[in-house]
Amino acid sequence: MKTPPLLIGLALLLWGWMSGMLWIAVLLALLFEARWMTRAVLELSDTAITLFFDICLLIAAGAALSLFLSPDDPPVAKTLLVWLPLVFAPLALAQAYSQRARLPFSALARLPGMGKKSPHPDEADAFRPGFHFPSIYAGMVCIAAAGANREYAYFYPALAVLAALFLYANRPARVRPIPWAAILLLALGSGFIAQDGIQRAQQWARSYVQRMVHGPYQVRTAIGELGELKISRRILMRVALPETIDPPILLATAGYDFFDGSRWLATNSTFVPLEPVPGVDIYRLAPEVQTASPDNPQQNSMSLRVFQNLFRGKGLLALPLDTEEVSDVDADLVESNVLGSVLVDDAPGFIAYNATMRAGARRLGTPLPTDTLVPPPHRAVLEELVGSLGLRELDPADAARKVRDYFHGNFTYSVVLTRERPDLGPLEEFLTVSRSGHCEYFATAAVLLLRQAGIPARYALGYAVWEPGDADARMFLVRESHAHSWPRFWANGRWMDMDPTPPLWYPQETEPLSSLQWLWDWRADVSFAFMRWRHTAQNSAARGWLVAGAVVLAVFLAARLARRGGLRRRREAVKAKREQTMFFGADSPFYELIANDERRTPRASGEPMLSWLARSGAKHLIPMARLHYRYRFDPRRDDDSVKRELERHKAD
């Protein structure tokens, strides 16, 4: 393979534009393309190759450590992918300005069986396994540009131009340009259609997920859907509970106030930025809190700690109802709304925050007009049930307990969804016929039932915390299958939680779906231990020790690289190595004469020497090539006389 002029330069400019490092890309592009305008070359020995490769590894290690310790918690793997052109630029530039057409693998890794060291760079590379790194580097640059692509429409056409330039330079000599161009256009057109289809599918999937999963604005329920509702047992977060709090405990991520028959909507979802307490990372969610009393421990504050992963540094916090404040969020933006949702943005991918609770914390505000709305199609069946339970004669707290006990005693929990009466609505069938369903049925029915009785109520979505971890009795696991919904109702001047779902759902949603569940849990435990340690390292003195250790390691590696050398021109050593030939004729002056031509026009694998000389514009060297073959293979040759004649041709 060969890299034609402008290929690497254009690829670097595309990468710089995509990644926001345009000036660095321009500088690298000028360095790479200047090689076509100069005859200056490096005497790149195997030791020098090893040196440049070690420099690249040192740059990669430093970049990874910097990202690892960054308080912004960037995605390490993706960022390193985008930085590939910077990491491997030294090695690519070294070969681009050298006489060597290929880099041997043995120069990169001193492994057994990788081959012996070459006495001279040009003498034995053809007989050693190796590769042309600038071509690989061009591919790295394109991959890095793709990793930094922000869905610009011109990215694919630009990438197609680069691919066409590379393929044209490396097309087989027997292929005519017009058929080759037609096939290339067909392939690129098919690729464009395919990537456009994939992009549209991704957009559709993203919008579908946003409609189906819970968020701060709306959530689509599974009410009315048929089949078995299967939820992953993947561990999403962990919660450390104090001794004063016994599970189960409900942690809400969002609240909703309007039901349209299949979705719960948050019509009052305007988020308001919160300001932290000056000097500390504490956000107060409930400014007005009842005064704590030593005689009433229920009014004293309690704190739990939540360990949670965020997608791209953004997400909803899982909080108890009576949360007064949150601390150690480590986010640039914290917002909340009157329905109880707390949204964080520009945060690390892994956060560990404290939620401080106090009885009477009024962070959800007072009831809104939408908190008493009941869809007309459901009023008849709900009114009949309100009358039979006598809910209007009870105060709100007793009415909520009555509803909870009614569902616990007369209904069953099931994730298998069936329809026996298609003539009835799903909610009506649940209340009057099947009396079986999952938490979305129970929560929706309870909210509407309380509203029908004149009690303001809302639909809360979040997680139930009750499964203890293996290592720590107070560290509880929250799985995806622990996602839960329940009603919140207004009573005695405050919002309260009530869970109408029969408690038998807890063990059902923890039973392993696979015999390998223990393996996935072990993997999650290892990942959590690492992320927790990393979070501690980023926010403690351990970070200083890591930086100090990295500096010591960098100094040690730099000293080793300096001792290796490899770029100093040791003329006597090079001359001595050239005299140690690996095969007869390896000291032919012909190799030195064609080195520049081979660098500019690489010889294809299996291509005859004379054909390559004609293709590369060096036909005047054909007589010397025949003399070179005579020097190497003619058993009747006079070695000294033939070599002298080769030297004379070289001098001419």
Side-chain angles (χ1 to χ4, degrees):
M1 294 186 297
K2 58 183 177 181
T3 53
L6 299 181
L7 175 65
I8 295 180
L10 293 176
L12 284 168
L13 293 179
L14 177 63
W15 165 77
W17 184 263
M18 293 289 104
S19 63
M21 294 183 279
L22 184 59
W23 290 110
I24 298 177
V26 169
L27 177 61
L28 288 176
L30 292 175
L31 289 175
F32 274 99
E33 297 308 323
R35 65 192 171 118
W36 303 105
M37 299 178 288
T38 180
R39 293 183 176 272
V41 293
L42 293 175
E43 194 74 28
L44 195 63
S45 66
D46 281 8
T47 306
I49 296 174
T50 306
L51 170 67
F52 279 109
F53 186 65
D54 288 345
I55 291 175
C56 295
L57 294 182
L58 188 60
I59 294 174
L65 182 63
S66 173
L67 294 172
F68 179 81
L69 295 175
S70 172
D72 296 330
D73 195 21
V76 177
K78 181 179 180 181
T79 307
L80 284 179
L81 177 69
V82 175
W83 288 359
L84 278 179
L86 294 174
V87 172
F88 289 98
L91 184 60
L93 283 169
Q95 186 180 4
Y97 281 92
S98 74
Q99 297 179 352
R100 304 188 77 161
R102 302 169 68 214
L103 299 183
F105 290 112
S106 57
L108 303 183
R110 306 296 188 186
L111 300 177
M114 292 296 290
K116 299 179 180 179
K117 292 178 64 177
S118 170
H120 180 258
D122 300 318
E123 291 171 354
D125 280 353
F127 298 90
R128 305 164 69 193
F131 57 95
H132 184 248
F133 189 68
S135 299
I136 298 176
Y137 181 77
M140 285 184 177
V141 175
C142 293
I143 293 174
N149 179 28
R150 288 166 283 185
E151 299 184 358
Y152 287 129
Y154 57 77
F155 176 75
Y156 184 84
L159 197 62
V161 171
L162 295 176
L165 186 62
F166 176 78
L167 293 174
Y168 181 81
N170 292 274
R171 76 188 191 284
R174 63 179 180 275
V175 177
R176 296 181 179 179
I178 295 180
W180 177 88
I183 295 174
L184 179 64
L185 289 176
L186 179 63
L188 293 177
S190 302
F192 177 79
I193 295 174
Q195 69 91 24
D196 183 68
I198 293 173
Q199 186 177 15
R200 292 177 183 272
Q202 289 176 336
Q203 293 174 350
W204 177 86
R206 189 181 300 115
S207 62
Y208 177 80
V209 169
Q210 290 175 348
R211 292 195 308 268
M212 296 301 294
V213 303
H214 63 273
Y217 307 106
Q218 70 174 29
V219 59
R220 181 178 295 274
T221 68
I223 294 177
E225 297 184 5
L226 303 180
E228 183 175 359
L229 187 66
K230 291 185 178 291
I231 305 178
S232 169
R233 302 295 191 259
R234 181 170 61 97
I235 298 175
L236 294 181
M237 65 182 74
R238 297 167 195 257
V239 180
L241 296 181
E243 296 289 345
T244 54
I245 300 179
D246 294 323
I249 182 174
L250 300 176
L251 302 182
T253 56
Y256 306 90
D257 60 347
F258 182 80
F259 183 65
D260 68 356
S262 63
R263 295 177 303 168
W264 277 99
L265 306 175
T267 60
N268 297 277
S269 59
T270 302
F271 280 90
V272 178
L274 298 177
E275 294 295 331
V277 176
V280 291
D281 187 16
I282 296 177
Y283 293 86
R284 298 198 181 277
L285 305 180
E288 299 179 3
V289 183
Q290 295 176 359
T291 304
S293 170
D295 299 330
N296 187 0
Q298 295 297 326
Q299 292 184 356
N300 294 329
S301 63
M302 299 175 290
S303 295
L304 57 83
R305 190 164 179 82
V306 182
F307 302 87
Q308 183 177 345
N309 291 304
L310 300 178
F311 181 68
R312 295 182 178 177
K314 183 177 182 178
L316 296 167
L317 299 186
L319 300 172
L321 173 63
D322 292 330
T323 301
E324 174 189 6
E325 63 184 29
V326 291
S327 58
D328 297 338
V329 179
D330 196 22
D332 292 342
L333 179 64
V334 179
E335 300 176 300
S336 68
N337 64 20
V338 296
L339 299 179
S341 301
V342 177
L343 180 68
V344 298
D345 200 355
D346 291 333
F350 176 84
I351 58 176
Y353 56 92
N354 297 315
T356 302
M357 301 170 289
R358 192 190 300 273
R362 298 187 180 92
R363 68 183 181 92
L364 303 185
T366 56
L368 302 169
T370 52
D371 293 327
T372 57
L373 294 180
V374 178
H378 305 305
R379 291 175 182 172
V381 65
L382 292 171
E383 181 60 34
E384 181 179 352
L385 195 54
V386 167
S388 64
L389 295 177
L391 298 182
R392 287 194 176 90
E393 289 75 26
L394 302 174
D395 64 68
D398 291 337
R401 281 191 290 269
K402 185 79 171 182
V403 171
R404 180 197 63 191
D405 295 341
Y406 171 72
F407 282 120
H408 284 188
N410 299 278
F411 288 69
T412 59
Y413 178 81
S414 176
V415 294
V416 180
L417 310 176
T418 59
R419 295 294 303 275
E420 300 177 12
R421 293 283 304 276
D423 57 311
L424 297 177
L427 199 60
E428 286 73 14
E429 183 177 0
F430 166 73
L431 290 171
T432 60
V433 180
S434 67
R435 294 177 179 264
S436 178
H438 48 74
C439 62
E440 292 177 342
Y441 279 93
F442 287 98
T444 300
V447 170
L448 298 182
L449 196 57
L450 292 173
R451 289 183 175 184
Q452 188 67 28
I455 301 172
R458 294 173 181 172
Y459 182 91
L461 193 64
Y463 301 93
V465 180
W466 66 273
E467 181 185 352
D470 295 332
D472 187 348
R474 302 307 301 176
M475 182 71 75
F476 291 82
L477 307 180
V478 179
R479 301 180 185 272
E480 190 171 339
S481 57
H482 296 169
H484 196 43
S485 54
W486 63 93
R488 282 179 169 169
F489 63 96
W490 182 261
N492 302 324
R494 54 177 295 199
W495 290 99
M496 297 183 179
D497 281 341
M498 180 265 289
D499 191 359
T501 305
L504 291 177
W505 80 274
Y506 294 131
Q508 290 187 34
E509 294 299 348
T510 308
E511 295 177 357
L513 296 178
S514 169
S515 59
L516 297 178
Q517 185 63 51
W518 64 271
L519 181 60
W520 313 138
D521 288 352
W522 175 82
R523 176 182 175 274
D525 291 340
V526 173
S527 176
F528 169 71
F530 172 76
M531 295 302 295
R532 190 178 185 182
W533 171 84
R534 180 186 176 192
H535 182 270
T536 303
Q538 290 174 338
N539 296 279
S540 68
R543 183 179 182 185
W545 287 105
L546 284 174
V547 173
V551 171
V552 172
L553 179 60
V555 172
F556 173 75
L557 292 177
R560 285 179 58 88
L561 294 177
R563 286 199 302 268
R564 285 184 183 180
L567 290 179
R568 293 190 295 265
R569 294 178 176 252
R570 304 176 181 177
R571 299 185 181 275
E572 293 79 11
V574 171
K575 183 177 180 180
K577 287 183 178 181
R578 289 180 177 178
E579 294 175 356
Q580 302 172 3
T581 59
M582 290 182 61
F583 55 86
F584 191 83
D587 59 342
S588 172
F590 182 72
Y591 288 117
E592 298 181 9
L593 196 62
I594 65 172
N596 291 336
D597 295 311
E598 192 169 14
R599 182 172 65 87
R600 292 184 176 86
T601 309
R603 181 180 170 189
S605 178
E607 184 178 9
M609 175 67 74
L610 300 184
S611 300
W612 172 73
L613 289 174
R615 182 171 64 85
S616 62
K619 291 184 178 180
H620 61 285
L621 296 178
I622 291 180
M624 189 175 180
R626 293 194 175 98
L627 191 61
H628 163 73
Y629 282 140
R630 179 184 171 191
Y631 177 64
R632 284 198 58 191
F633 303 113
D634 190 353
R636 298 174 297 176
R637 68 186 180 277
D638 183 349
D639 296 344
D640 293 337
S641 61
V642 175
K643 188 174 182 180
R644 283 196 299 271
E645 191 171 352
L646 283 169
E647 294 285 0
R648 181 177 59 79
H649 277 276
K650 178 184 175 183
D652 293 340

